[in-house]
Amino acid sequence: MSLFFIVALPFLGALLPGLMNGAGRAACAGVTFTVSLAAFLGLMTNLPSVLAGEVVMARVDWMPVLGLNFTLMLDGLGFFFAMLILGIGLLIIAYARHYLARGDNMGEFFTYLLLFQGAMVGIVLSDNILLLLVFWELTSLSSFLLIGYWKHLPEGRQGARMALTVTGMGGLAMIGGMLILGQIVGSYDLSVILQNRELIQADPMYVPALILILLGCFTKSAQFPFHFWLPHAMAAPTPVSAYLHSATMVKAGIFLMARMWPVLSGTPEWFVIVTSAGLITMVLGALIAIFKHDLKALLAFSTVSHLGLITMLLGTGTAFGAMAAVFHILNHATFKAALFMSAGIVDHETHTRDIRRLGGLRTLMPITFGIVTIAALSMAGIPFLNGFLSKEMMLEETTHTTLFGIWWLVPALATFGSLLSAAYCFRLIGHTFLGPVRDNYPSKPHDPGFGLWGPPAFLVVLVVVIGVAPFLAEPFVKLVTASLLGGEAEVPKAYFKIWHGLVPALFMSVAAVVGGLLLMGVFKPLLRVWESTPRPEAKVIFEGLIEAAAALARRFIHTLHNGAFTRYAMIGSVAIIALGLHAWSTGTVGAPTRDPQSASVVAIAGWAMLVAATGGLVVMHRNRLLSLILIGIVGLMVSIGFVFLSAPDLAMTQFTVEVVTIILLLLALNFLPNRTPIESTVLRRVRDAGVAVAGGLATFALAYHYLLRDAVSTPISEFHLANSYKGGGGTNVVNVILVDFRGFDTYGEIIVLGIAALLIYALTETLLSGPVRARLLNRLPDQPRAGDMHPMMMVVLTRVIMPVVLMVGFYIFLRGHNEPGGGFIAGLIVSIAVVMQYMASGFAWTSSRLRYPYHGVIGAGVLIAGFTGIGSWFVGKPFLTSDFTYVRIPPFEKFELATAALFDLGVFLAVVGAVMLSLESFSRLAHRAQDKDSEHPMDIDPSRDDPPEDQPKPVTEGV
Amino acid sequence: MELLVASAIGIMTAGGLYLVLRLRTFPVILGMSLLTYAVNVFLFASGRLTIGAPPILRDGVEIYTDPLPQALVLTAIVISFGMTAVVVMISLGAFLGSDDDHVDDLLEEEVTSAEGTP
């Protein structure tokens, strides 16, 4: 089966358990099992090639420019790990089917489990280190979901968070390390990297890369000082602990160290860091494990200890050490997963995992007792069980390892670690199963059904088989070792056998087992000593660090982001001005290439009005109504300036936008105070004025220099001018650019405009449904109301004008392609025509006569524009390619039909909809409770006999 | 002519900046509108100034002004309307919700002192 399928199957299969949830627990577990089994069998189809020593590859270029390719590789090492992941996965799924309680959502659990499985398989089969990183992060995420599966338990949530934080940070470090590695080699493909040992180790960036990658590995594999998260992750359901925290995820770090072994190992840095971290973890983990009363905590720390052992073996950098590591990975996966599952059985049957409340289960749960005994004795290193063999090899390796120049350091610590390890294994058996039967178990214990004990029993069979007949596992372990070594060293010749003769390792082993037994003999006094010695509590330290980091971030943010927007504006303006000044003073300015044009009297007069209006606006801005009039003058002058400077389209747009903006601001001013009070000090105003003048001078200088020099290279506009008629069929180049050359931009812009209008609508809805509504309804006008709010003259005038304006809009729209005009301007003109009706006859009267919701108009506009663009696909052209033709219908002259006109229609509709929706939203706010909706278009109508009852009385005060 | 346009841009920028630095929402919105004018005119002027040569193709006419900045500014004008409308709505909502049209959040000590006074 293709490697892609093996990786993809769990991910695709992850969709199924959720779907099968309703079909019952057996179906749910069954489909998960089937998916895993399919992947497992797919892996097995590749076994012959792997046994033949081939490397199976599968490759799809993903982002070749970035060096990120979907490349998969299956060699001995990858096969070994993939087999562990999928094989133990099958057992775990079978076990979890019976373990999970009825109340647990099984579909959710198996979905997470398959996601995790896929990510793990992805890690071990990746040939591209960037791809590997992606899968690496996915395991962190999916394990977060699995650890926190019991969401109602605070320990579960905290443990999940802690695991994610620690492994996530390690993952970040590893990204850095991998990127450095890729930079050194010039390729992100693992197969290439593995060929470049000398290049990598000679590079000055080797040490940083090594440290960063090891940070990732150590956090994932719970090596000291990052070992603390693993015991807390034990809040997960037991199948998760057995799967993630004994057999697979915590082995990911080990896997990566093994994978990178050919290129990273063998240097003093590697040796010192990896060996000492492994050694410390091994001893420390074992020591803590002895004194844990929780079965799973004991197993968790023992896992930490064994991971340390494997790490240490990889750290030695010898081929024999690597082989011992591979063998121990296999053995540890078998006995530790069995132990975890057995711990789950004990928990499941007795409802406690506290060793102090157990004991004497030997006769009550004989099958579980048998499984645990074999697995634990294997872990303790008793002959004829597989743990003995790899531990023997480990001790053998340590006798050749000299750390810090002290020959006895490593062997002594390793023996001590083994001693502690034997001790907790004996305690596990003795304190749980041996001893007198108690009468106060939380629940009456008995052996579970086959579904629960079958999977661990299967593993225990493997434990015994490998232990008795190690030659069966030998070829496979050597094959894996060979692929781990990657040709950098010879596979050791040593045979796997139980009896090696009276070698030092044997004596060390005997010492460890005997010492472990003795230690158990004095367990009670030792426990008292242990409990009275103060120890640093990793969780407290971790939470303290997190809290400190959060406090630091809060302080930092509150200092920078204190809610004073004026300050941000000030800092931003000053910074931009300073940057401009810096560029100005360090850059060079060429000589002017354009002659200044003379200004006519009219231009000077317009300029003077603009300046006067701007100045007046600044000086009199406290009177808000006046400042609106003044800014209207500024806008008008800008529009006239556009006319003057050959931009008729701009002038029309600016002018119409000006009208709707002023109406909008007037509507807003209806609610806001009429005056801006004086609040700032004189000093502050002087300071602001200083900044403003500096900014003004800067833009003036920039614009002035700009205007007197030609562009450095020929502008693209020449192309537009040359092709507007030929290619776009229009003589108004601005419009052709909008609807044709840069139609995609315009399309984006009408969408933005539509979104802005919808946002305004949504805000209005929120305001009107909240507490503001009552205030708005009972608001008293702060100005005397006009007696004639909908005057007859205005009503009549706007009615008369309406068809004229619509016709003008239509005309402007149609001629837009060839003369100034187009969808934008026509849209604005039509909007103004409608707004006038609102102004003349009031909101209620007008909106009850409008049949089209403005949202729909926006949507129709965007859709029409979009479909016009899509239409070009049908003739095999890219999106928004326009076409045009000339037709002649007899009574009329020849005229042009262009798809661009259809696009412009979309623009037109979107603009009308957006403008009207914005203004309508504002008007809705103005509706008050005491306003009766009049059914008449005007207040005073001579043709009407009955004066309306709700006619407001003329207000006399203030006259 | 160039001097007039450049100085107009400068003056509108200065006025806009000053108003943006005010403490109440309404002048800030006006300031942003002024800045919008300045920016639009500046962008437009990047096509350099040409009098009496609109980019409408005519037979026999050879000189046209640069159409591209015009097209860009045209959409900018319409979009700036949308932006102004949103900002006005937000400031209006803030004012209606809290009866306060200050731009800045009150600092904590000011809040406590304001609560302390009857």
Side-chain angles (χ1 to χ4, degrees):
Chain A
M1 189 190 279
S2 161
L3 299 185
F4 288 126
F5 281 115
I6 301 175
V7 176
L9 260 176
F11 283 114
L12 296 176
L15 298 169
L16 296 176
L19 293 175
M20 300 298 284
N21 220 2
R25 297 156 58 80
C28 192
V31 72
T32 314
F33 192 85
T34 315
V35 167
S36 273
L37 188 67
F40 184 75
L41 293 178
L43 182 73
M44 284 303 151
T45 58
N46 288 298
L47 182 62
S49 344
V50 172
L51 286 181
E54 290 170 24
V55 176
V56 186
M57 301 282 289
R59 182 188 179 92
V60 169
D61 282 350
W62 183 8
M63 290 185 247
V65 182
L66 292 179
L68 176 55
N69 296 314
F70 210 99
T71 323
L72 298 176
M73 166 181 85
L74 182 72
D75 60 352
L77 186 66
F79 183 87
F80 173 54
F81 274 92
M83 189 187 72
L84 283 182
I85 293 158
L86 292 170
I88 295 186
L90 285 173
L91 298 177
I92 296 291
I93 292 165
Y95 176 83
R97 151 77 183 87
H98 298 277
Y99 180 85
L100 288 181
R102 240 159 234 296
D104 295 327
N105 185 342
M106 197 175 249
E108 187 187 346
F109 181 82
F110 281 129
T111 300
Y112 296 160
L113 197 77
L114 283 176
L115 284 179
F116 171 78
Q117 195 176 55
M120 268 318 288
V121 175
I123 288 183
V124 299
L125 295 189
S126 291
D127 182 41
N128 185 293
I129 51 176
L130 298 179
L131 186 65
L132 189 148
L133 287 171
V134 172
F135 285 122
W136 186 275
E137 297 298 329
L138 276 178
T139 59
S140 292
L141 288 176
S142 51
S143 75
F144 171 79
L145 294 171
L146 280 170
I147 297 170
Y149 171 69
W150 281 329
K151 301 177 192 73
H152 54 279
L153 296 180
E155 300 85 37
R157 299 196 299 266
Q158 289 162 7
R161 269 206 301 275
M162 190 192 273
L164 185 68
T165 313
V166 176
T167 56
M169 292 208 326
L172 284 180
M174 205 172 75
I175 291 175
M178 290 296 200
L179 290 179
I180 297 176
L181 205 61
Q183 291 294 322
I184 295 175
V185 180
S187 165
Y188 290 106
D189 281 346
L190 208 52
S191 34
V192 180
I193 291 172
L194 292 182
Q195 305 299 323
N196 284 291
R197 179 188 171 97
E198 283 77 23
L199 181 69
I200 291 168
Q201 299 199 350
D203 198 279
M205 292 303 280
Y206 164 71
V207 176
L210 176 72
I211 291 174
L212 289 173
I213 292 176
L214 285 181
L215 270 176
C217 296
F218 284 2
T219 48
K220 201 79 162 181
S221 285
Q223 295 301 294
F224 179 82
F226 308 109
H227 60 285
F228 57 87
W229 70 263
L230 185 56
H232 289 287
M234 289 299 140
T238 301
V240 174
S241 312
Y243 193 35
L244 274 66
H245 305 129
S246 74
T248 54
M249 189 178 86
V250 290
K251 298 272 170 62
I254 304 271
F255 166 78
L256 202 70
M257 283 190 269
R259 186 48 105 198
M260 292 291 170
W261 193 90
V263 288
L264 293 183
S265 77
T267 58
E269 294 89 359
W270 167 277
F271 175 63
V272 169
I273 299 174
V274 179
T275 310
S276 31
L279 210 54
I280 295 172
T281 314
M282 176 180 166
V283 176
L284 194 70
L287 183 67
I288 301 173
I290 296 180
F291 300 104
K292 284 289 165 190
H293 301 304
D294 181 356
L295 275 179
K296 277 176 77 178
L298 189 154
L299 290 175
F301 276 104
S302 103
T303 306
V304 168
S305 166
H306 279 265
L307 292 169
L309 188 160
I310 300 168
T311 305
M312 182 198 73
L313 285 172
L314 289 170
T316 60
T318 65
F320 188 79
M323 187 167 75
V326 170
F327 196 26
H328 197 70
I329 292 169
L330 174 66
N331 296 338
H332 180 253
T334 52
F335 64 67
K336 188 53 65 68
L339 282 174
F340 264 117
M341 288 194 252
S342 308
I345 292 175
V346 172
D347 186 19
H348 202 258
E349 300 305 324
T350 66
H351 293 189
T352 181
R353 299 195 309 245
D354 192 332
I355 295 179
R356 288 167 300 184
R357 301 180 63 187
L358 295 167
L361 295 179
R362 178 181 73 255
T363 48
L364 296 167
M365 305 174 72
I367 300 174
T368 316
F369 169 62
I371 293 169
V372 170
T373 308
I374 297 172
L377 289 180
S378 174
M379 181 156 78
I382 303 297
F384 303 110
L385 299 169
N386 62 0
F388 170 74
L389 299 162
S390 44
K391 187 163 273 187
E392 202 73 340
M393 286 163 78
M394 180 272 286
L395 292 171
E396 167 71 22
E397 173 67 17
T398 58
T399 57
H400 308 299
T401 309
T402 309
L403 188 63
F404 304 125
I406 312 168
W407 67 268
W408 52 263
L409 184 67
V410 179
L413 280 177
T415 314
F416 182 57
S418 306
L419 186 152
L420 298 173
S421 175
Y424 64 67
C425 293
F426 295 143
R427 175 161 188 243
L428 178 64
I429 302 169
H431 289 192
T432 314
F433 291 95
L434 304 182
V437 175
R438 305 165 73 127
D439 50 9
N440 60 348
Y441 301 114
S443 172
K444 187 166 165 39
H446 56 82
D447 265 324
F450 174 76
L452 278 181
W453 66 256
F458 177 78
L459 289 171
V460 162
V461 170
L462 287 181
V463 166
V464 178
V465 169
I466 299 174
V468 176
F471 53 86
L472 289 177
E474 185 179 326
F476 184 65
V477 170
K478 286 197 170 160
L479 177 84
V480 175
T481 312
S483 98
L484 188 161
L485 298 177
E488 295 297 336
E490 287 283 304
V491 179
K493 292 274 181 290
Y495 294 111
F496 289 16
K497 49 188 179 182
I498 302 167
W499 180 252
H500 284 277
L502 292 173
V503 289
L506 184 68
F507 295 116
M508 289 156 81
S509 216
V510 171
V513 173
V514 174
L517 278 174
L518 289 177
L519 206 60
M520 273 304 98
V522 290
F523 180 71
K524 280 204 172 130
L526 271 182
L527 183 64
R528 273 199 296 279
V529 174
W530 174 261
E531 280 175 350
S532 56
T533 22
R535 298 178 302 279
E537 177 60 52
K539 190 178 176 199
V540 177
I541 299 172
F542 174 79
E543 278 170 359
L545 279 176
I546 295 283
E547 191 44 53
L552 192 70
R554 254 197 310 274
R555 271 238 310 278
F556 188 67
I557 289 168
H558 282 185
T559 322
L560 285 181
H561 196 118
N562 64 352
F565 288 85
T566 313
R567 214 177 72 161
Y568 309 160
M570 183 60 126
I571 294 172
S573 317
V574 172
I576 293 171
I577 295 169
L579 276 176
L581 197 66
H582 173 75
W584 184 263
S585 54
T586 51
T588 51
V589 182
T593 56
R594 291 170 76 98
D595 294 327
Q597 302 170 47
S598 61
S600 60
V601 182
V602 179
I604 295 173
W607 176 85
M609 279 200 264
L610 187 140
V611 171
T614 311
L617 174 61
V618 170
V619 174
M620 294 181 263
H621 77 268
R622 296 188 189 285
N623 184 339
R624 292 181 171 181
L625 196 61
L626 184 60
S627 59
L628 259 188
I629 296 170
L630 287 170
I631 203 163
I633 296 176
V634 176
L636 196 63
M637 286 303 124
V638 170
S639 315
I640 293 174
F642 284 141
V643 177
F644 195 70
L645 294 166
S646 328
D649 285 280
L650 284 194
M652 290 163 87
T653 316
Q654 182 73 66
F655 189 78
T656 42
V657 162
E658 207 53 49
V659 174
V660 286
T661 309
I662 296 294
I663 293 173
L664 181 100
L665 286 171
L666 269 174
L667 279 168
L669 204 52
N670 189 15
F671 305 96
L672 292 168
N674 283 328
R675 289 193 62 82
T676 307
I678 301 176
E679 284 178 321
S680 46
T681 58
V682 177
L683 193 68
R684 181 180 176 131
R685 272 175 274 161
V686 170
R687 185 195 70 184
D688 292 351
V691 172
V693 169
L697 281 176
T699 41
F700 163 69
L702 182 62
Y704 189 59
H705 278 78
Y706 202 77
L707 285 173
L708 288 184
R709 283 154 186 84
D710 281 306
V712 181
S713 54
T714 320
I716 190 177
S717 313
E718 298 302 322
F719 168 84
H720 292 138
L721 285 169
N723 287 290
S724 173
Y725 189 71
K726 265 193 299 181
T731 52
N732 179 4
V733 186
V734 174
N735 184 267
V736 175
I737 291 175
L738 283 175
V739 299
D740 194 335
F741 292 128
R742 305 198 63 82
F744 208 17
D745 283 2
T746 311
Y747 185 54
E749 271 168 290
I750 59 173
I751 292 176
V752 171
L753 196 64
I755 292 173
L758 290 176
L759 181 64
I760 291 167
Y761 176 76
L763 281 169
T764 312
E765 283 291 299
T766 319
L767 279 179
L768 285 179
S769 62
V772 174
R773 180 184 162 80
R775 282 186 47 200
L776 280 172
L777 285 176
N778 299 317
R779 183 173 49 94
L780 289 173
D782 53 354
Q783 304 253 338
R785 298 276 113 176
D788 190 8
M789 286 206 289
H790 305 125
M792 181 173 66
M793 287 241 326
M794 190 165 173
V795 173
V796 172
L797 203 60
T798 52
R799 294 293 182 283
V800 172
I801 252 181
M802 177 84 171
V804 181
V805 178
L806 287 181
M807 203 168 68
V808 168
F810 188 60
Y811 170 64
I812 292 274
F813 172 77
L814 277 188
R815 72 174 210 158
H817 216 43
N818 294 314
E819 299 289 327
F824 275 112
I825 301 162
L828 287 162
I829 290 174
V830 169
S831 305
I832 292 171
V834 181
V835 168
M836 283 196 303
Q837 310 307 316
Y838 276 102
M839 289 165 73
S841 295
F843 177 78
W845 188 89
T846 316
S847 52
S848 65
R849 279 158 183 79
L850 276 163
R851 266 187 275 161
Y852 305 104
Y854 296 122
H855 325 67
V857 177
I858 299 176
V862 172
L863 282 179
I864 288 176
F867 282 130
T868 310
I870 288 173
S872 51
W873 284 346
F874 291 106
V875 288
K877 297 275 179 56
F879 188 64
L880 275 175
T881 311
S882 72
D883 197 11
F884 62 93
T885 183
Y886 293 92
V887 290
R888 189 190 176 99
I889 302 173
F892 303 103
E893 280 186 41
K894 189 173 84 165
F895 63 95
E896 182 191 354
L897 276 181
T899 60
L902 210 53
F903 181 79
D904 219 11
L905 178 66
V907 174
F908 165 81
L909 287 175
V911 170
V912 173
V915 171
M916 288 316 300
L917 187 61
S918 312
L919 293 177
E920 191 213 21
S921 299
F922 276 91
S923 317
R924 286 201 304 151
L925 289 177
H927 177 74
R928 290 182 301 142
Q930 59 265 51
D931 292 346
K932 295 258 167 47
D933 289 341
S934 166
E935 61 189 81
H936 305 293
M938 48 192 126
D939 297 329
I940 301 167
D941 184 352
S943 67
R944 206 160 47 183
D945 294 334
D946 52 325
E949 289 167 25
D950 59 337
Q951 180 190 336
K953 288 191 195 111
V955 182
T956 48
E957 66 259 49
V959 175
Chain B
M1 197 68 224
E2 276 79 5
L3 189 68
L4 290 186
V5 172
S7 60
I9 294 173
I11 289 165
M12 286 192 291
T13 310
L17 270 180
Y18 180 78
L19 289 179
V20 162
L21 293 172
R22 296 302 90 207
L23 295 171
R24 301 287 183 134
T25 50
F26 198 75
V28 171
I29 291 167
L30 292 183
M32 279 168 46
S33 297
L34 265 187
L35 279 180
T36 308
Y37 291 136
V39 170
N40 284 343
V41 174
F42 180 81
L43 285 181
F44 166 73
S46 71
R48 308 305 187 277
L49 307 181
T50 316
I51 298 170
I56 313 291
L57 301 178
R58 293 275 182 271
D59 290 338
V61 180
E62 286 300 315
I63 298 168
Y64 297 104
T65 187
D66 192 341
L68 190 61
Q70 293 195 14
L72 298 182
V73 170
L74 197 152
T75 48
I77 293 170
V78 181
I79 288 283
S80 64
F81 163 74
M83 188 200 71
T84 309
V86 170
V87 172
V88 170
M89 190 70 226
I90 290 173
S91 65
L92 192 57
F95 174 73
L96 292 174
S98 64
D99 217 359
D100 178 23
D101 65 342
H102 278 95
V103 174
D104 294 347
D105 287 354
L106 287 176
L107 296 173
E108 269 172 41
E109 54 265 32
E110 289 173 16
V111 173
T112 43
S113 68
E115 280 167 357
T117 50

